[in-house]
Amino acid sequence: MNNVYTIQEIMTLKFCELSNVVYEAILAELTRQYKDMIDRLLPIFDKAPVYQLDQYVDIYKFIVVI
């Protein structure tokens, strides 16, 4: 299953390192929120640890943490 991660992985993985399915789902949510600015924000989001994206979108809809 591509969307199951441990808490250590969530704390250390960068957004761009997620599996494609999870990455695209979270990116779609971010795009809905930041419509016109997503092109400029994407390089910042890509380098951010996954747990920090929780501030902007509910990542736990797409990720199962064990």
Side-chain angles (χ1 to χ4, degrees):
M1 199 176 209
N2 289 340
N3 62 344
V4 178
Y5 296 93
T6 64
I7 194 68
Q8 283 114 356
E9 287 175 320
I10 295 296
M11 298 298 277
T12 58
L13 267 177
K14 304 280 186 223
F15 177 54
C16 64
E17 296 172 343
L18 288 172
S19 66
N20 286 339
V21 174
V22 177
Y23 178 86
E24 293 296 328
I26 295 174
L27 183 58
E29 288 289 319
L30 288 169
T31 302
R32 273 187 230 134
Q33 281 189 339
Y34 297 104
K35 297 172 178 71
D36 298 330
M37 297 186 333
I38 194 66
D39 293 333
R40 287 181 272 166
L41 292 173
L42 190 56
I44 297 167
F45 287 142
D46 276 342
K47 294 177 185 172
V50 175
Y51 76 93
Q52 290 182 349
L53 294 176
D54 190 31
Q55 304 174 58
Y56 309 109
V57 66
D58 183 17
I59 62 171
Y60 302 108
K61 280 196 305 191
F62 312 107
I63 296 176
V64 176
V65 178
I66 56 171

